[in-house]
Amino acid sequence: MPNANEETSALSQAQDRAVSELLRVAPVADDLARRFQEAGFSLALVGGSVRDALLGRLGNDLDFTTDARPQDVLKIMRPWADAVWDVGIAFGTVGAQKDARVGDADRSFQIEVTTYRSEAYDRTSRKPEVSYGDSIEEDLVRRDFTVNAMAVALPEKRFIDPHGGRADLAARVLRTPGTPEESFSDDPLRMMRAARFAAQLDFEVAPEVVTAMKEMAGRIEIVSAERVRDELNKLLLSTHPRKGLSLLVDTGIAECVLPELPALRLERDEHHRHKDVYDHTLIVLEQAMALEEGGPDLTLRLAALLHDIGKPRTRRFEKDGRVSFHHHEVVGAKMTKKRMTALKYSNELVKDVSRLVELHLRFHGYGTGEWTDSAVRRYVRDAGPLLGRLHKLTRSDCTTRNKRKASALSRAYDGLEARIAQLQEQEELDAIRPDLDGNQIMEILGVKPGPAVGQAYKHLLELRLENGPMEHDAAVAALKEWWAGQQG
C-alpha cells in the first residue's frame, strides 16, 4: 500500500488532472449548469465522470445530478440540447445529446441528468424502487463505491467528497460509502460491479467488501439476467478480466451467474497428469486478447472463456492413468448455448460462440499437419465467417510450458493458414458451392422442387469439398451417375 506522502502526491496530481479535464468540457457543462441555476436548481458532475476526470480520462459521456425533478429537467434540457430522450425517466434520468465546439474540435456529448435519489430492492423484486432525495449528500451515500461517490458542483467547480473517494482513488482501492452489506442489499448487482471495476481500473477490493460479497453472494439471484449479462460483458471487455473473474469465482458469485466457470477448478488426479482447467481457461482468455485486432472482441473472449466448460462432464480416468475429455467440445457447445440463452444473449451471439466452442479442437484432429485439400476446404466451410476468430482461439488454446511442443503447434497452424490462403486464392473458398445450382439440377434431372434436389445439391457439395472445382461437363456426368444410383 502507498505511504501517506505518496497518497498526498497522488491526490494532488489527481486534483490537477481533474481541473484540467473539467476545464476541457466547461463550455458545455458550465452552460448547462447556468441554465439550471436560472431555473432555481443546482447541478453537479457526478460519479464515474468525476472519477474519470481525476484519472485524466474524462470522455464525451457526462453524468450529472440535480435537485430538479425529472419533468423540470426536461423543461430545461429540451430548448438547449440537440436531442433529448426520456426512456430512463421512471428512474429519474433524462438523457440528451449536445454537439458543441470545444477548442478547435467539434464534439458530441452524451449527457445524463439524474434527480437526487435513493433506491433499494425488496427481497422478492428484480427491479429497484426509486425515491427522490433532496440533497446531494443523500444521493452520494447511496452510490456503489466511494470512487464513484464524488461530485463537482457547477459552475463553481467545488469538489464534494464526503466519503473519501479521492483518497481511495489514490490508493487504488474499492470501498463502499456506507457498509458493504447496506450497499449490496440496496442493489446486489453492485457485487458484480466490484469485480468489473477491479478489472477495468486494476484496483484492489477492500477486504470488508470481499467478505460481504462472500456472505451475500446468493442475493445476486434476484437481479435480472439482462443486468447480470451486461455487467459480465463490461467485465469481459475490460483490460484485466482475469482479475474480475477470479473475484467472482473466489466469492461464490460466479456459482450463481456462471457456474460453469468455477466448475473448471477440477481436483487434480493423484498423479497430477492433467493441468488445472480453470487456470488454463484464464490464460487462453488473455492469450486471445493479445491476438485481437481493432479493439476488444466479445465473441472471441466469450469463446475463450467457455471453450472448455464441457471438460468436467466428460472427464474420464483411463486404465493407463491418463485423464481424457472425449467430445468435450460437443458437450461444451451445448452447455454454452444453454448458459448464454439463460443470460439473454442474442441468438446470433449464442450461435457464434457455441460454434467456436464446438470447432476449437478441429485443428488437432488432423494430426501433425498433413492436411489434404479436402480437409482444408471443410475446415473453412465449417468455420464460415468465424474463421478469423477460430484461428485466434486455436492458437490461444496452446498453454503448454514445453517450448518445443508449443513451437511445433504454432508452425503446424502457420502451415494450415498458408494452405487456406493458397486454396482461397485458387478456389474462392469463402463461397464454396456445388458446381451446379438448384435450377440446373432440376433441368438436368427433369425433376420438380423437392427433397431429391436437396439431396443432389448435398452430393455435389461433398464432391466439391473432396475434389475441388469441377468442369461443367464433369459435374453433369457426376450428377447423372449419382441419380442413376438413386433409381436402382
Side-chain angles (χ1 to χ4, degrees), residues 120-129 184-191 216-228 256-257:
Y121 278 78
D122 66 38
R123 292 208 168 264
T124 60
S125 174
R126 287 177 176 270
K127 294 183 178 180
E129 298 173 351
F184 297 156
S185 182
D186 281 348
D187 184 354
L189 188 68
R190 289 173 175 173
M191 295 186 288
M216 300 179 68
R219 284 278 285 154
I220 197 71
E221 292 180 351
I222 73 162
V223 180
S224 70
E226 291 86 351
R227 294 184 75 212
V228 168
C256 302
V257 300

Side-chain angles (χ1 to χ4, degrees), residues 235-236 241-249 261 278 282 285 305:
L235 190 162
L236 278 176
R242 172 193 276 262
K243 191 166 195 170
L245 292 168
S246 298
L247 185 60
L248 291 181
V249 170
L261 185 60
Y278 170 70
L282 297 181
L285 172 60
L305 182 68

Side-chain angles (χ1 to χ4, degrees), residues 88-373:
I89 202 164
F91 299 99
T93 299
V94 174
Q97 177 182 319
K98 178 67 174 178
D99 299 327
R101 189 159 187 83
V102 178
D104 297 328
D106 291 321
R107 296 175 62 184
S108 182
F109 291 91
Q110 302 299 309
I111 291 168
E112 287 192 350
V113 180
T114 302
T115 302
Y116 298 157
R117 67 189 186 187
S118 58
E119 61 186 26
Y121 278 78
D122 66 38
R123 292 208 168 264
T124 60
S125 174
R126 287 177 176 270
K127 294 183 178 180
E129 298 173 351
V130 175
S131 59
Y132 298 128
D134 296 308
S135 72
I136 195 165
E137 287 78 16
E138 184 183 0
D139 181 84
L140 293 177
V141 75
R142 66 100 194 159
R143 291 180 178 263
D144 51 9
F145 303 104
T146 59
V147 295
N148 297 328
M150 299 178 282
V152 177
L154 299 171
E156 63 269 32
K157 297 180 181 59
R158 174 175 56 86
F159 271 90
I160 304 170
D161 181 18
H163 305 290
R166 282 175 292 178
D168 286 342
L169 198 70
R172 304 178 67 80
V173 65
L174 288 171
R175 290 190 306 109
T176 53
T179 69
E181 290 78 11
E182 288 173 332
S183 182
F184 297 156
S185 182
D186 281 348
D187 184 354
L189 188 68
R190 289 173 175 173
M191 295 186 288
M192 285 192 71
R193 285 168 67 85
R196 189 248 291 186
F197 283 122
Q200 281 184 334
L201 302 172
D202 196 19
F203 279 21
E204 299 304 316
V205 180
E208 69 273 14
V209 176
V210 175
T211 298
M213 290 169 70
K214 290 178 179 177
E215 293 174 349
M216 300 179 68
R219 284 278 285 154
I220 197 71
E221 292 180 351
I222 73 162
V223 180
S224 70
E226 291 86 351
R227 294 184 75 212
V228 168
R229 173 203 64 208
D230 291 347
E231 204 58 51
L232 180 62
N233 287 349
K234 290 173 184 176
L235 190 162
L236 278 176
L237 293 171
S238 70
T239 311
H240 306 280
R242 172 193 276 262
K243 191 166 195 170
L245 292 168
S246 298
L247 185 60
L248 291 181
V249 170
D250 293 344
T251 56
I253 293 169
E255 195 67 52
C256 302
V257 300
L258 193 65
E260 296 81 2
L261 185 60
L264 294 176
R265 294 189 297 184
L266 302 174
E267 293 181 15
R268 294 190 175 206
D269 62 285
E270 61 187 52
H271 301 293
H272 295 269
R273 283 207 169 94
H274 76 269
K275 57 192 169 190
D276 182 347
V277 184
Y278 170 70
D279 189 56
H280 162 77
T281 293
L282 297 181
I283 294 172
V284 171
L285 172 60
E286 291 178 325
Q287 292 186 166
M289 289 167 56
L291 296 176
E292 288 174 334
E293 301 162 297
D297 181 344
L298 182 62
T299 304
L300 178 63
R301 294 191 184 194
L302 279 166
L305 182 68
L306 301 173
H307 78 285
D308 272 349
I309 61 172
K311 280 190 170 180
R313 289 191 185 177
T314 58
R315 182 172 60 155
R316 297 288 182 273
F317 294 96
E318 305 294 351
K319 292 179 180 179
D320 62 1
R322 292 184 305 109
V323 179
S324 68
F325 305 97
H326 294 307
H327 306 300
H328 76 267
E329 73 280 13
V330 177
V331 173
K334 292 177 181 176
M335 293 171 65
T336 295
K337 182 177 181 180
K338 184 177 180 180
R339 175 54 54 196
M340 290 184 66
T341 300
L343 288 171
K344 309 291 188 183
Y345 279 99
S346 70
N347 291 338
E348 183 180 3
L349 192 58
V350 172
K351 180 181 175 183
D352 286 350
V353 176
S354 301
R355 188 65 167 152
L356 285 168
V357 172
E358 183 182 359
L359 293 174
H360 83 273
L361 281 187
R362 180 70 63 86
F363 165 73
H364 299 284
Y366 289 94
T368 58
E370 296 300 320
W371 287 59
T372 63
D373 286 352

Side-chain angles (χ1 to χ4, degrees), residues 39-55:
F41 302 108
S42 60
L43 187 75
L45 196 70
V46 73
S49 292
V50 177
R51 180 199 70 223
D52 288 345
L54 286 161
L55 291 171

